[in-house]
Amino acid sequence: MKKHAPEVGQFMTHLPVEAERCETIADAIALMDEHRIHHLPVMNGTRLKGVVSLADILRLRAERRGEGDAAPLEDACRSDIFTVGPLTPVDDVARGFLQRGTDCAVVM
């Protein structure tokens, strides 16, 4: 008998920390440090605008040499969001990570 993979809803963060697109890179770094996370959903009001990772932030800071911390978060935000549902099997999410070259999914 084949076992079914657990669903992503069993492992997801139910109340994720979010940032508004107009917040600064410095604000995002503070949120990430405070909550010990490496990815933030970036919102435009109640609408998901994108996702930003610590790597995205570090890349932007390196490009802007000393001026990156004041930049709006949307400048580092990725809009190619990998979204899944809470009933999506974890195996499918892992395959999606490999296919998309990402390490983050937003559960909708």
Side-chain angles (χ1 to χ4, degrees):
M1 178 186 231
K2 185 177 179 180
K3 286 186 177 183
H4 294 284
E7 297 166 346
V8 76
Q10 294 175 253
F11 305 99
M12 67 184 243
T13 302
H14 291 275
L15 294 172
V17 176
E18 308 170 336
E20 189 62 33
R21 68 184 175 86
C22 59
E23 291 183 59
T24 66
I25 294 297
D27 295 332
I29 291 169
L31 273 174
M32 289 176 165
D33 284 347
E34 178 184 347
H35 296 280
R36 298 183 191 152
I37 56 177
H38 296 111
H39 296 88
L40 276 173
V42 179
M43 306 300 289
N44 183 8
T46 59
R47 195 169 148 261
L48 181 64
K49 167 86 173 158
V51 173
V52 68
S53 70
L54 185 55
D56 298 326
I57 288 172
L58 294 174
R59 194 173 305 110
L60 181 125
R61 288 172 90 190
E63 289 169 2
R64 298 199 181 172
R65 296 191 186 135
E67 297 180 17
D69 285 357
L73 193 51
E74 69 182 335
D75 287 2
C77 175
R78 287 179 282 141
S79 59
D80 59 329
I81 309 162
F82 178 34
T83 60
V84 297
L87 301 179
T88 305
V90 172
D91 292 357
D92 292 350
V93 176
R95 273 190 286 282
F97 286 165
L98 292 171
Q99 291 169 348
R100 291 172 158 266
T102 189
D103 61 351
C104 162
V106 176
V107 182
M108 304 290 278

